[in-house]
């Protein structure tokens, strides 16, 4: 009889484990749905703030669309929002916007425009902008090569 209970318990064990796994998957799906709803609400909030001209929200949306973070990647929308924030002197947005033109991401490469926005951001003390300008001057990209200027920016 002891062997029969053991065999019966062994037969029940996979059923119990399967039931637990199914319950865990259901909880995980619910958590994912909840996280998705929170992300969508957050995105709506940032869109509203961006429409009101808030530079930080415009910068955030630019990154979200550039990277496809929770939304379909959209280089044109990314560029639009980054430009709005860059025009409001948002230093990080200026770097991101400059990088689009430096790298030719869905636009024709425009090194003059890239250098201009890197310079605007560097004027605010942004280290990444300084680094990029250092490369421009070290390698003579769209400027005369100038090691003194390169060292200044590095």
């Amino acid at each position: 009889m002891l062997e029969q209970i053991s065999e019966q318990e062994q037969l029940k064990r996979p059923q119990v484990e399967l039931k637990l796994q199914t319950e865990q998957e259901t909880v995980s799906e619910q958590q994912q749905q909840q996280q998705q709803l929170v992300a969508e609400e957050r995105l709506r909030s940032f869109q509203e703030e961006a429409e009101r001209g808030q530079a930080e929200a415009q910068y955030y949306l630019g990154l979200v669309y550039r990277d496809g973070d929770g939304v379909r990647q959209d280089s044109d929308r990314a560029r639009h929002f980054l430009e709005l924030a860059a025009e409001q002197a948002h230093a990080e947005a200026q770097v991101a916007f400059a990088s689009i033109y430096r790298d030719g991401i869905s636009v024709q490469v425009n090194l003059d425009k890239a250098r201009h926005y890197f310079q605007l951001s560097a004027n605010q003390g942004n280290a990444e902008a300084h680094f990029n300008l250092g490369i421009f001057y070290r390698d003579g990209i769209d400027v005369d090569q100038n090691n003194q200027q390169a060292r200044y920016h590095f």
Side-chain angles (χ1 to χ4, degrees):
M1 174 129 166
L2 196 53
E3 289 178 10
Q4 288 177 344
I5 294 172
S6 178
E7 288 176 24
Q8 288 176 350
E9 285 183 16
Q10 287 178 358
L11 290 174
K12 289 181 181 178
R13 181 173 286 161
Q15 293 173 347
V16 170
E17 288 175 359
L18 180 60
K19 183 178 179 184
L20 287 173
Q21 181 180 359
T22 303
E23 288 173 358
Q24 290 171 344
E25 289 172 354
T26 301
V27 169
S28 178
E29 288 173 16
Q30 290 171 345
Q31 289 172 337
Q32 288 175 346
Q33 290 172 348
Q34 181 64 27
Q35 289 173 345
Q36 181 67 28
L37 290 173
V38 169
E40 289 171 3
E41 179 58 34
R42 188 170 182 202
L43 182 62
R44 272 192 297 276
S45 175
F46 275 103
Q47 287 173 329
E48 290 170 6
E49 290 297 315
E51 288 172 10
R52 286 195 275 271
Q54 211 282 334
E56 187 67 26
Q58 293 166 341
Y59 170 64
Y60 172 79
L61 286 175
L63 297 182
V64 164
Y65 285 110
R66 180 194 70 187
D67 300 337
D69 185 12
V71 298
R72 184 180 55 81
Q73 189 175 15
D74 187 333
S75 298
D76 292 331
R77 288 190 70 138
R79 187 177 64 252
H80 168 74
F81 284 114
L82 290 171
E83 183 175 20
L84 291 174
E87 289 300 320
Q88 292 187 68
H90 189 288
E92 290 85 6
Q94 289 170 333
V95 169
F97 187 65
S99 297
I100 288 172
Y101 282 94
R102 179 199 59 209
D103 300 338
I105 299 172
S106 78
V107 296
Q108 185 172 350
V109 170
N110 186 332
L111 297 174
D112 187 52
K113 191 170 198 169
R115 187 172 42 80
H116 170 74
Y117 280 94
F118 282 135
Q119 185 65 59
L120 290 175
S121 184
N123 291 346
Q124 297 182 65
N126 183 284
E128 187 176 356
H130 275 291
F131 179 78
N132 278 283
L133 286 172
I135 292 171
F136 271 63
Y137 283 105
R138 181 195 67 198
D139 297 344
I141 300 171
D142 197 49
V143 294
D144 292 333
Q145 186 176 12
N146 185 325
N147 288 331
Q148 184 177 0
Q149 280 294 316
R151 278 192 299 277
Y152 169 78
H153 288 290
F154 285 136

